[in-house]
Amino acid sequence: MNIRGEEGENLPVVQNCGILKEYCEFMDIVFRYQAELKNKPTKEQMEGCYDKAIKEAISRGILVDYLTRKGAEVRNMFFGEYDYDLDMKVKAQEAAEDKAEETAKNLLEEGDSPEKVSRCVGLPLEQVLELQKQISIKA
């Protein structure tokens, strides 16, 4: 069974699974960018191809959460460069950033200034201001 292209788009398994449908859409974007490359593309051209595909998918609302969090891993997997140790380091870094954001949100909700929160949790002021906007939108 081929899930690529129009033939695959109409398969019940694709139509009934939003994630699989988005994955197929993402891969169509990747294949389109790959087709634009020269016969023997350089590594930089290939990286650019995958980066453009990831950015386009995100801008079109395709696998947004996953590609936003894991875009570098996705690109590396296309190259066959997946590295477990590096993946674990990235996950630890992401967890630390998530914790810093959660702490920042709590401090902002308690009334601390964005400048103070930025200093305390080590996040850039712009990021803290964005978190503050998110909090005020939810309120």
Side-chain angles (χ1 to χ4, degrees):
M1 170 172 51
N2 183 1
I3 62 171
R4 185 172 174 208
E6 285 182 35
E7 179 182 311
E9 290 173 11
N10 296 320
L11 291 172
V13 68
V14 174
Q15 291 300 314
N16 294 323
C17 179
I19 297 294
L20 184 55
K21 185 175 183 178
E22 288 185 37
Y23 172 78
C24 291
E25 292 170 351
F26 171 62
M27 291 309 299
D28 283 342
I29 295 168
V30 170
F31 294 138
R32 182 169 34 86
Y33 280 111
Q34 285 177 332
E36 295 174 0
L37 294 173
K38 299 176 184 177
N39 285 344
K40 293 186 178 185
T42 65
K43 182 176 180 180
E44 290 79 22
Q45 290 170 326
M46 294 296 290
E47 286 176 351
C49 163
Y50 300 131
D51 286 341
K52 286 192 281 186
I54 290 167
K55 286 178 185 173
E56 180 179 330
I58 291 170
S59 73
R60 290 178 48 192
I62 299 168
L63 299 175
V64 174
D65 184 50
Y66 187 79
L67 291 174
T68 300
R69 290 182 296 114
K70 306 281 187 176
E73 291 174 51
V74 169
R75 187 184 73 204
N76 289 341
M77 285 183 190
F78 280 118
F79 282 107
E81 296 178 358
Y82 180 77
D83 180 324
Y84 178 79
D85 292 332
L86 178 59
D87 188 31
M88 292 298 105
K89 287 178 186 175
V90 168
K91 286 180 179 169
Q93 186 177 11
E94 289 172 349
E97 187 172 317
D98 288 347
K99 185 173 182 175
E101 285 185 0
E102 191 61 35
T103 302
K105 287 178 184 178
N106 291 337
L107 292 171
L108 289 167
E109 288 173 346
E110 291 176 9
D112 288 331
S113 72
E115 293 79 8
K116 180 179 178 183
V117 172
S118 175
R119 285 190 310 272
C120 289
V121 298
L123 292 175
L125 180 58
E126 296 80 23
Q127 189 174 356
V128 173
L129 291 170
E130 184 61 35
L131 292 171
Q132 187 177 40
K133 285 181 191 175
Q134 292 173 8
I135 291 168
S136 64
I137 289 172
K138 290 180 182 178

